[in-house]
Amino acid sequence: MIQIYKSSNEKEGTLKKVDTIDSGSWINIVAPSQEELILISKKTGVPLDFLRAPLDDEETSRIEIDRNFILVIVDIPFTEMEDNSLTYDTYPLGIIHTEKELITVCLKNSKILSDFASNKVKSFYSFKKSRFILQILNRISTYYLLYLRQIDKKSLMIEKRLHKSMKNKELVQLHSLEKSLVYFSTSLKSNEITLEKMLKLEIMQKYEEDKDVLENVIIENKQAIEMTEIYSNILSSTMDFFASVISNNLNIVMKVLASVTILMSILTVISGIYGMNIVGLPFQNNPNAFYIIMGFSAVICAIAAYLLYKKDMF
């Protein structure tokens, strides 16, 4: 899918969708076909390798320069529904800076770019390409921080449910969040290297204001890294804690079952002896033998139960 946008020079926030590629336009490419990539390559002169690179979901964050084309690949956060649960992941986003246009390439439609397309970002102009790149990077950091807060809230909710239920479902959800934090941590650290390299790019040296914005983006990215590490450590300790609690609960259940088995075995031994049909058993001819034997068995079981209780077996 190819979408072309262009800002009006007259008024802020008047981004419009257009049909032709003009100077100062923004070309947004989402999950394109091979024919669409070839078309854009011919229209803009951008190498096909630049357009294809962000479509590999294993592509790492980096910067590449070829003639007048600058390719910036960064990992951006995504949310997906999986098994009726919201999961978090990252995908590469390619930003290609040309002399006339700015091109974004991604495997999936992103909320980050949708915010620009729907005029939710202030002071945004498609023809201010270097500033546009910085605004995209700033938006990426904002969404990372937003999703990290969501992960923290979800983990607290799951933890509260775990205190009551101790079901595998909650543990699986915690593991899923922990896995998402690993993806976030890896992507953010990779983005940090790319952002620091961008400080040295010529297009970032033209305006001191742009350099300040980029430094703010780097600071937010570092903040997101720190938050990710903190939440990851908390989730890891929470998982270990509940694993220990579940193991301890299992030990308690096994102790109780063992104690009950001991008490039942006393009754089994006594009933087994009186079921042997041999001569000379106590109370054999007594008409109240059943009640006497049951009473005697109850006393023995009570004594055994008291001893097990003293040994903390109940």
Side-chain angles (χ1 to χ4, degrees):
M1 180 179 68
I2 300 174
Q3 297 171 321
I4 306 170
Y5 300 93
K6 190 172 182 181
S7 295
S8 171
N9 292 321
E10 301 174 357
K11 188 180 177 182
E12 179 183 323
T14 56
L15 186 70
K16 293 183 180 179
K17 197 171 183 180
V18 295
D19 297 325
T20 57
I21 300 174
D22 297 324
S23 179
S25 59
W26 164 35
I27 306 170
N28 184 32
I29 306 173
V30 180
S33 63
Q34 182 67 18
E35 291 75 16
E36 288 174 331
L37 291 178
I38 293 172
L39 175 64
I40 295 298
S41 179
K42 288 181 179 179
K43 291 279 187 180
T44 61
V46 176
L48 266 176
D49 290 343
F50 275 25
L51 295 170
R52 287 173 180 157
L55 300 176
D56 180 7
D57 56 2
E58 299 297 329
E59 191 70 39
T60 56
S61 180
R62 60 187 172 88
I63 295 177
E64 191 172 337
I65 301 174
D66 184 2
R67 294 170 292 168
N68 296 322
F69 305 110
I70 302 173
L71 169 64
V72 180
I73 297 179
V74 289
D75 290 328
I76 61 175
F78 271 86
T79 57
E80 295 177 324
M81 289 301 296
E82 186 177 309
D83 297 330
N84 296 323
S85 179
L86 193 65
T87 59
Y88 301 85
D89 204 346
T90 60
Y91 291 94
L93 168 67
I95 307 170
I96 304 171
H97 182 284
T98 73
E99 289 184 339
K100 296 181 178 180
E101 312 90 9
L102 190 83
I103 305 171
T104 55
V105 187
C106 192
L107 277 168
K108 298 185 179 182
N109 196 20
S110 166
K111 288 183 179 180
I112 295 166
L113 298 179
S114 297
D115 287 348
F116 289 94
S118 57
N119 292 311
K120 291 182 179 179
V121 181
K122 295 180 179 179
S123 304
F124 162 59
Y125 299 94
S126 63
F127 51 83
K128 293 184 177 180
K129 298 187 290 294
S130 59
R131 177 58 60 87
F132 186 14
I133 293 174
L134 292 174
Q135 287 174 315
I136 292 175
L137 295 174
N138 185 59
R139 206 73 180 171
I140 291 170
S141 298
T142 300
Y143 270 94
Y144 266 118
L145 293 171
L146 174 65
Y147 291 155
L148 283 169
R149 293 188 189 98
Q150 289 182 3
I151 289 173
D152 184 44
K153 288 180 180 178
K154 283 189 69 175
S155 64
L156 289 174
M157 290 172 60
I158 295 170
E159 187 178 340
K160 287 179 181 178
R161 293 205 303 268
L162 263 174
H163 280 291
K164 298 177 181 178
S165 64
M166 290 292 176
K167 291 182 179 177
N168 289 336
K169 180 182 177 182
E170 281 75 18
L171 288 173
V172 170
Q173 288 176 342
L174 277 180
H175 175 69
S176 177
L177 292 179
E178 191 176 21
K179 189 167 63 174
S180 298
L181 287 174
V182 172
Y183 294 149
F184 275 22
S185 178
T186 305
S187 298
L188 284 166
K189 288 177 181 177
S190 182
N191 286 352
E192 183 181 24
I193 298 171
T194 301
L195 292 172
E196 289 176 351
K197 287 181 179 177
M198 285 187 67
L199 280 172
K200 302 176 183 178
L201 289 179
E202 187 179 345
I203 59 171
M204 296 301 160
Q205 304 296 330
K206 291 182 179 179
Y207 307 101
E208 189 65 29
E209 189 179 350
D210 285 354
K211 191 174 180 180
D212 292 340
V213 173
L214 182 54
E215 288 175 349
N216 289 335
V217 172
I218 292 173
I219 291 171
E220 285 195 0
N221 191 79
K222 288 181 178 179
Q223 182 185 352
I225 292 173
E226 291 175 0
M227 286 178 63
T228 304
E229 289 176 352
I230 291 169
Y231 293 156
S232 182
N233 290 335
I234 291 172
L235 265 182
S236 180
S237 61
T238 302
M239 291 280 288
D240 292 341
F241 169 72
F242 280 108
S244 300
V245 169
I246 290 172
S247 177
N248 187 55
N249 288 345
L250 178 62
N251 290 336
I252 292 172
V253 170
M254 294 302 295
K255 280 201 306 181
V256 172
L257 289 176
S259 299
V260 171
T261 303
I262 292 171
L263 296 178
M264 294 297 294
S265 64
I266 295 173
L267 295 174
T268 303
V269 170
I270 295 173
S271 61
I273 292 172
Y274 276 89
M276 294 169 65
N277 294 323
I278 58 176
V279 179
L281 288 173
F283 313 112
Q284 188 172 20
N285 299 317
N286 194 317
N288 298 316
F290 175 78
Y291 302 105
I292 296 172
I293 293 169
M294 287 297 101
F296 180 70
S297 300
V299 170
I300 294 177
C301 287
I303 295 171
Y306 175 75
L307 293 174
L308 291 170
Y309 175 76
K310 294 292 286 184
K311 294 287 185 180
D312 196 26
M313 293 294 289
F314 277 111

